[in-house]
Amino acid sequence: MPESSPTTYEFGPFRCLPSERRLLREGQPVRLAPKVFDTLLYLVENPGRLIEKDEFLNRVWPDTFVEEVTLAHSISELRKHLGSGQGPYIETVAKRGYRFTAQVKVNRQAPELQTPHWVLAVLPFENLSAEADREYVADGLTEELIAVLGQIDPEHLSVIGRTSVMAYQGAKKSLSEIGRELGATLLVESSLRGEAGRMRITSKLVRAADQVQIWSGSYDREPNSMLTLQRDMSATIAEQIHLRLSPERLDALKRRQAHSPEAYDSYLRGRYFWNHFTPPTTRRAIECFARSTELDPDYALAWAGLADAYASGPIHADVRPKDVWEKAREAAQRAVGIEPNLAETQSSLGMVKFWLDWEWTEAEGAFRSAIALDPSYSLAHRMLGIVLAHMGRNEEETRLTMQRARALDPLQAMHHALSAQVAFVLRDFAGALEFGRQATVVFPGSWIGYYQLAQAHEQRGEYECALEALAKAANFANNSKILSLRGYVLGKMGRQDDARSALTTLQGLSQERYVPPYAAALVYASLGDRDSAYRGLEMGFEVHDVHLALLPADPKWDGFRADARFGDLLRRCGLPHERLG
């Protein structure tokens, strides 16, 4: 299929860009397999005309023998992606072929006026050093280069997120395969080697479709001069793909840098541990970020990392909120005070505002600011979607925001798991199941993915499926959420003795460590013991249990919404209290 046409096609909310081999829905990319895209392109090039099956096969699969079932599969995949927002787009004419029925607007531009939109993936830096402990440097450089390149020209360059590219660490796949799977048009491939006290970085920029090398370069750096590496590399790559780094964007890149090489090293270590998302590695991350701020008190990214690490503990690891609340708030405020024009600092502020301060309007503003500063920062898109869903805001924007997060980092299991949470809040339980399954496919150890499956199954009355999902979640995590939801499901099944046994287990754990009061309150709610449920929620209010932030939107509490005590609790928390169940 030709790839150089300057023509674009618009129909419904979609825009088809043949020169970039991309389909956009309301500006967001829709991932299509190559032959599925070719099938769509031939349809939109011939709207209203019946295309016979033989013509289709000859056009889309030239010089290749395929059967009609292959064409039928491509048409089926297209229909799934296009949906039926304005009625069926593709008509099947029995035993003959297919017709594209939507009105298509054809836009023709002179090639010299076009500015293509590139999708770039920074593949994991390969550590060729003899020192195995330099792995954190390789990982850190990958993450930082992604962040830096994402700010070059967001209108014309999108950068795939860290989690998705890290999945290809050590992968034995061709660059064209990786590019196709990630939907990337360009790839950056790099290696890191320590030589005689110096660091040598070798990188190349490759066009994914045909693996043509556009540029290659080597950088020799002393360990204490690594701070300028990303800026040098990003400027060169921008030049190679014909984008300009304005003075404002160069200033933005400078603002990311530490003044101390040792502080930067500690920051990279912190990010390395933070990305493992376990209680022990989170504690190590806090130590590294804190060390970085001691070495360089004006290093905004280190303060942002510290805020993220503190703020997430109560959500995923049963950390006592009052032990970290002020620390998280102070770190986020320090980060924004030092450098308000970084996506990471604004996003960290939003995390604290949403989960700990319960100031959701301010959280929304912080995440929107983060996205404006770096539209490729997928975490900000994900968290904005979470905020909008729990505030009961515009459903279409909420779904599109989560879709954007998944598009930017498609192999980030948490994006899929929390897309399930958003669907659950929107009472789309079938969608929650689908996203939960995607999370567990992307990362089979995603306990949050299994948790999302369990609560969606429960709302559909599929109790045994819910218990099965929770059993799988328990293989990968040990926290109150899993125990509490299991007790809730058992209570809903009428297995009161088993549900009360879960309460006994939670009570026993609370003698050893902090257990959020919400955990027992949820089980009591399933048993119909409202007074005990409210006592648990009031205890949660006293200790600032972060799980109370789920109450305004969680379907599991819909039976309580007409109760004046429930509305009063939400008002005292400063949370929305007029949401319909």
Side-chain angles (χ1 to χ4, degrees):
M1 302 290 288
E3 299 185 17
S4 58
S5 169
T7 302
T8 63
Y9 302 92
E10 296 181 14
F11 56 95
F14 296 96
R15 188 175 182 216
C16 179
L17 295 77
S19 62
E20 301 175 36
R21 297 184 60 74
R22 294 204 308 147
L23 176 67
L24 304 179
R25 180 190 179 107
E26 296 182 338
Q28 305 303 318
V30 178
R31 297 189 181 280
L32 300 178
K35 289 302 181 184
V36 176
F37 179 86
D38 292 343
T39 303
L40 171 66
L41 181 56
Y42 200 49
L43 284 167
V44 298
E45 287 175 339
N46 297 275
R49 180 170 76 83
L50 172 62
I51 304 174
E52 301 281 351
K53 293 180 181 179
D54 286 346
E55 178 185 350
F56 239 134
L57 294 172
N58 290 333
R59 172 72 181 198
V60 178
W61 289 271
D63 305 319
T64 304
F65 175 75
V66 296
E67 298 180 346
E68 290 182 5
V69 67
T70 304
L71 172 59
H73 175 73
S74 287
I75 294 292
S76 175
E77 285 296 305
L78 267 183
R79 284 175 168 148
K80 289 179 185 177
H81 287 289
L82 297 180
S84 56
Q86 297 183 349
Y89 288 103
I90 305 171
E91 175 190 358
T92 299
V93 180
K95 299 183 179 181
R96 294 190 61 189
Y98 302 93
R99 179 185 288 115
F100 197 72
T101 58
Q103 183 175 355
V104 178
K105 178 182 178 183
V106 181
N107 301 306
R108 292 186 172 86
Q109 293 178 283
E112 62 271 14
L113 298 180
Q114 278 197 313
T115 303
H117 187 104
W118 303 92
V119 179
L120 184 144
V122 179
L123 298 182
F125 275 64
E126 183 180 6
N127 179 23
L128 302 178
S129 301
E131 304 160 297
D133 70 344
R134 304 304 285 180
E135 195 68 39
Y136 76 92
V137 176
D139 285 3
L141 288 174
T142 304
E143 186 168 359
E144 274 295 282
L145 188 57
I146 289 170
V148 169
L149 290 173
Q151 297 180 58
I152 286 180
D153 188 346
E155 185 177 351
H156 301 112
L157 180 69
S158 296
V159 183
I160 299 294
R162 172 196 180 277
T163 306
S164 294
V165 298
M166 293 305 287
Y168 291 90
Q169 196 163 38
K172 304 300 182 183
K173 292 187 176 183
S174 69
L175 295 181
S176 60
E177 285 181 285
I178 295 173
R180 184 167 59 251
E181 291 174 6
L182 290 174
T185 47
L186 295 171
L187 302 170
V188 176
E189 189 177 39
S190 305
S191 63
L192 164 70
R193 185 187 299 275
E195 296 178 348
R198 297 176 64 84
M199 288 288 182
R200 163 160 285 206
I201 306 293
T202 302
S203 290
K204 59 183 178 181
L205 180 67
V206 178
R207 192 167 61 208
D210 52 14
Q211 303 188 66
V212 168
Q213 182 172 299
I214 299 172
W215 159 84
S216 67
S218 294
Y219 300 82
D220 286 305
R221 290 287 189 275
E222 299 285 348
N224 62 1
S225 64
M226 295 287 283
L227 297 174
T228 59
L229 177 67
Q230 291 93 351
R231 187 175 63 177
D232 293 346
M233 288 183 67
S234 61
T236 303
I237 291 170
E239 180 182 351
Q240 293 300 318
I241 55 181
H242 311 298
L243 301 176
R244 288 191 306 110
L245 278 172
S246 66
E248 293 80 9
R249 295 208 175 276
L250 280 171
D251 287 342
L253 301 188
K254 291 178 184 177
R255 289 195 293 269
R256 298 185 60 82
Q257 296 182 353
H259 299 112
S260 159
E262 293 81 7
Y264 180 61
D265 186 80
S266 287
Y267 171 74
L268 292 185
R269 290 179 186 269
R271 280 294 167 191
Y272 177 79
F273 289 121
W274 165 242
N275 284 319
H276 286 76
F277 295 111
T278 68
T281 57
T282 298
R283 288 192 290 270
R284 290 290 305 277
I286 289 173
E287 293 171 2
C288 292
F289 289 137
R291 174 63 176 160
S292 183
T293 62
E294 292 168 3
L295 292 165
D296 186 350
D298 293 326
Y299 190 14
L301 287 181
W303 286 108
L306 192 57
D308 289 344
Y310 278 134
S312 64
I315 307 161
H316 302 307
D318 290 342
V319 173
R320 192 184 307 273
K322 289 189 176 180
D323 288 348
V324 296
W325 186 6
E326 286 302 322
K327 295 175 182 177
R329 178 190 287 166
E330 179 186 357
Q333 290 174 343
R334 288 286 297 270
V336 172
I338 295 166
E339 187 44 72
N341 294 318
L342 288 178
E344 290 90 344
T345 63
Q346 289 291 338
S347 187
S348 296
L349 178 64
M351 290 273 284
V352 174
K353 290 291 183 184
F354 180 75
W355 285 116
L356 293 169
D357 290 344
W358 297 343
E359 296 174 352
W360 288 2
T361 300
E362 291 83 351
E364 177 188 355
F367 291 125
R368 290 192 186 278
S369 295
I371 291 169
L373 289 164
D374 183 0
S376 291
Y377 193 47
S378 65
L379 175 62
H381 289 276
R382 182 182 87 202
M383 285 305 304
L384 177 61
I386 292 289
V387 173
L388 295 177
H390 285 75
M391 291 177 74
R393 298 284 289 278
N394 184 286
E395 181 175 331
E396 181 66 16
E397 182 186 9
T398 300
R399 292 184 185 275
L400 287 174
T401 300
M402 298 304 291
Q403 178 185 343
R404 180 61 174 159
R406 296 192 304 273
L408 285 167
D409 203 348
L411 298 184
Q412 167 61 275
M414 191 70 78
H415 289 347
H416 296 283
L418 294 186
S419 291
Q421 173 67 18
V422 166
F424 181 74
V425 163
L426 297 176
R427 278 62 178 170
D428 175 12
F429 304 125
L433 288 176
E434 180 59 29
F435 287 124
R437 291 189 187 104
Q438 289 176 12
T440 60
V441 169
V442 170
F443 177 47
S446 172
W447 73 265
I448 298 178
Y450 288 114
Y451 179 91
Q452 297 295 340
L453 287 173
Q455 65 175 4
H457 278 306
E458 184 279 322
Q459 287 291 308
R460 289 160 59 101
E462 299 162 355
Y463 298 124
E464 293 297 340
C465 292
L467 292 177
E468 181 181 345
L470 287 169
K472 292 179 179 177
N475 289 330
F476 304 107
N478 177 24
N479 61 50
S480 65
K481 281 188 175 63
I482 298 170
L483 293 170
S484 174
L485 184 58
R486 184 175 184 276
Y488 177 84
V489 173
L490 292 169
K492 285 294 185 178
M493 295 174 73
R495 294 169 55 179
Q496 295 201 1
D497 289 344
D498 291 330
R500 293 191 181 281
S501 178
L503 285 170
T504 301
T505 300
L506 289 168
Q507 176 64 28
L509 282 176
S510 69
Q511 304 303 312
E512 305 170 8
R513 60 178 174 82
Y514 170 76
V515 173
Y518 173 92
L522 182 64
V523 182
Y524 280 122
S526 75
L527 292 169
D529 187 348
R530 286 180 173 246
D531 289 340
S532 295
Y534 277 118
R535 279 196 294 272
L537 294 178
E538 286 294 340
M539 290 175 60
F541 177 74
E542 292 298 323
V543 300
H544 201 77
D545 185 345
V546 297
H547 297 86
L548 268 59
L550 303 173
L551 294 177
D554 192 331
K556 296 191 291 294
W557 293 94
D558 285 352
F560 284 67
R561 300 194 189 284
D563 193 322
R565 288 181 292 178
F566 194 77
D568 176 64
L569 174 66
L570 293 180
R571 276 190 290 272
R572 284 184 285 128
C573 291
L575 297 171
H577 53 273
E578 296 180 351
R579 183 182 178 91
L580 294 176

